[in-house]
Amino acid sequence: MAVSTPLLGVIVLIYLMIIFYLGLLGYKKTKEIDDYMVAGRSIHPYILALSYGATFISTSAIIGFGGAAGALGMGLLWLAVMNIVVGIFIAFVVFGKRTRRMGARLNAVTFPEFLGKRFQSRFIQGFSGAIIGIFMPLYAGIVLIGGARFVETTLGVNYDIAVLILAIIVAAYVITGGLIAVMYTDALQGAFMFIGMIVLLALTYIKLGGVTAAHEALSGMTGLVPESLVAGGHLGWTTMPAFGSPIWWTLVSTLVLGVGIGVLAQPQLAVRYMTVENDRALSRAVLVGGPFILMMTGVAFTVGALSNVYFQKTQGIIAVAAAKGNTDLIIPEFINGAMPELFVVLFMLTLLAAAMSTLSSQFHTMGTAIGHDFYREFIKKGEVGQTVNITRLGIALTIITSVILAYILPISIIARATAIFFGLCAAAFLPMYVGALFWKRMTREGAIASLLVGTAGSLFWLTFIHSKEAVPLGICKALFGVDTLLTGTWTVVDPIIVATPIAMIVAIVVSLATTPPSAEHLKDCYGK
């Protein structure tokens, strides 16, 4: 159904007014470069937790991964476990505290600068900034798709127009207000998301006759799994796929591990550790971040799988069929069909919040990567100049790129594109990030080698081996006359499984073979 009510206009107007007020507040508080880049290093831990969570969990999780659960089933809940254990606890307590302390000692204001200063390399900072500027628009593009698809389905607004409206609204407060504005608006949007997902879960179970009835009905639908999915290893929506099957590899290596591990090396998330005053703030943030991520991912994946029960009862078909083969439409179709009209309006705000919170952080990260890391440090060799203005220009350029990608990317792309970017970040950044935090013996040469090998390895695997990307791209076919260079199971193994361990080994071997950092520099990084 398409919602048309004066109440919608009033709610959206009030929501946008609050968002722009917070953006203005951020603008007024942005006086120094540290304010624009790392929110003055004085953000409240609860704002940090909500901002981190709202940035991490976007429409890609709710729409894209919720839709993937509609197709693949509740095995995706393992990703929710990974998100909480790795994405919150390990991220904040193990990585976050060391990142905050070292970032403050080195006066780093971006993730690439943190790595560049630890390894005394402008190349690392500039190359890392270039990776973010070039490849993060893919991630931002699919977040735009997620938000726009729901607006399209709910309001009957043309998809292309919905993409443009979302991009313009987010750009308005990110370009002016910097990270303070981003984190303030993120916190508000995170609160909207939390409430929206609680209500969605409750209404879903009510609609399907209760918790037990809903899950029993889903378990009883095993015989309705399409033959194409059965052949790939699908055993039903309440069980894991057959071990070692193509769908098992997609679920485990691409979705669960690709995103579950890749989160540790996300530039837009890592920089948030540097926005608080002390370690205690990070510990307190876990208490808010954990439940928030549980509610966001757990509900999305559960509702996505259970949507099959609703569509079977009302239309006699499974969720993928109801969405006409586009998994990105499963959640929008379910909510618009099964939920009360008022909730559809309110949930649209939830998804707008999810999209806007993630997009604002992505645009800020891409802009600082281009303006601060690539332009100022790599091109201008540290000359201050017009850094903030170039950063704002970088944000504008990456927004335009993201909008173009949202127009041209294929259907059912949200979950896969998220995993691609997370996996690339893991292969390129994670080995040297781990070394920077935990291994004093890691050298500049080792870090550069791991950065180059991880980046090249991930892109090579995507282009020539992993069939989900290699076949549509067609580069391997054009050069070698075959869809993929390897066959069999290798074609469904995600690049993160191959490229990240290789980059880690390269980092260790090259570091041990080269001169260790000076004691003086290590003291600057680690303190006593």
Side-chain angles (χ1 to χ4, degrees), residues 57 80-81 83-84 88 194 289-300:
I57 305 301
V81 175
N83 286 339
I84 296 167
I88 295 294
F194 190 83
F292 180 85
I293 296 297
L294 173 63
M295 190 55 59
M296 294 300 104
T297 57
V299 170

Side-chain angles (χ1 to χ4, degrees), residues 257-457:
L257 293 180
V259 176
I261 300 296
V263 64
L264 291 174
Q266 287 295 292
Q268 74 277 17
L269 298 181
V271 73
R272 274 160 171 69
Y273 309 142
M274 297 188 276
T275 63
V276 292
E277 288 184 300
N278 50 48
D279 289 354
R280 183 167 170 266
L282 287 167
S283 297
R284 290 170 64 193
V286 171
L287 300 176
V288 175
F292 180 85
I293 296 297
L294 173 63
M295 190 55 59
M296 294 300 104
T297 57
V299 170
F301 304 161
T302 300
V303 169
L306 289 174
S307 68
N308 285 281
V309 178
Y310 168 77
F311 289 119
Q312 175 60 26
K313 285 183 175 181
T314 58
Q315 300 179 34
I317 55 178
I318 62 172
V320 173
K324 298 179 175 59
N326 186 355
T327 58
D328 296 341
L329 288 177
I330 289 177
I331 294 294
E333 289 287 347
F334 169 71
I335 290 172
N336 279 284
M339 298 291 120
E341 182 174 329
L342 178 58
F343 178 75
V344 174
V345 174
L346 295 175
F347 195 75
M348 190 186 73
L349 287 185
T350 299
L351 285 182
L352 285 177
M356 291 169 65
S357 59
T358 300
L359 285 169
S360 62
S361 299
Q362 290 170 330
F363 293 154
H364 181 270
T365 300
M366 290 185 285
T368 56
I370 292 171
H372 184 77
D373 299 310
F374 185 73
Y375 174 77
R376 173 182 165 176
E377 293 299 325
F378 188 64
I379 301 297
K380 303 296 287 185
K381 307 301 181 186
E383 183 181 318
V384 176
Q386 299 293 313
T387 300
V388 172
N389 289 333
I390 296 296
T391 295
R392 286 171 171 158
L393 177 62
I395 293 173
L397 291 174
T398 54
I399 288 172
I400 293 171
T401 304
S402 302
V403 169
I404 293 171
L405 287 171
Y407 288 153
I408 65 175
L409 286 171
I411 64 171
S412 300
I413 189 62
I414 295 178
R416 185 150 52 95
T418 303
I420 289 171
F421 182 73
F422 274 57
L424 174 61
C425 287
F429 301 140
L430 191 56
M432 64 175 172
Y433 184 30
V434 171
L437 296 178
F438 304 105
W439 192 31
K440 295 181 180 180
R441 181 64 178 78
M442 188 162 180
T443 64
R444 172 171 48 224
E445 294 80 6
I448 291 174
S450 75
L451 172 62
L452 296 177
V453 168
T455 303

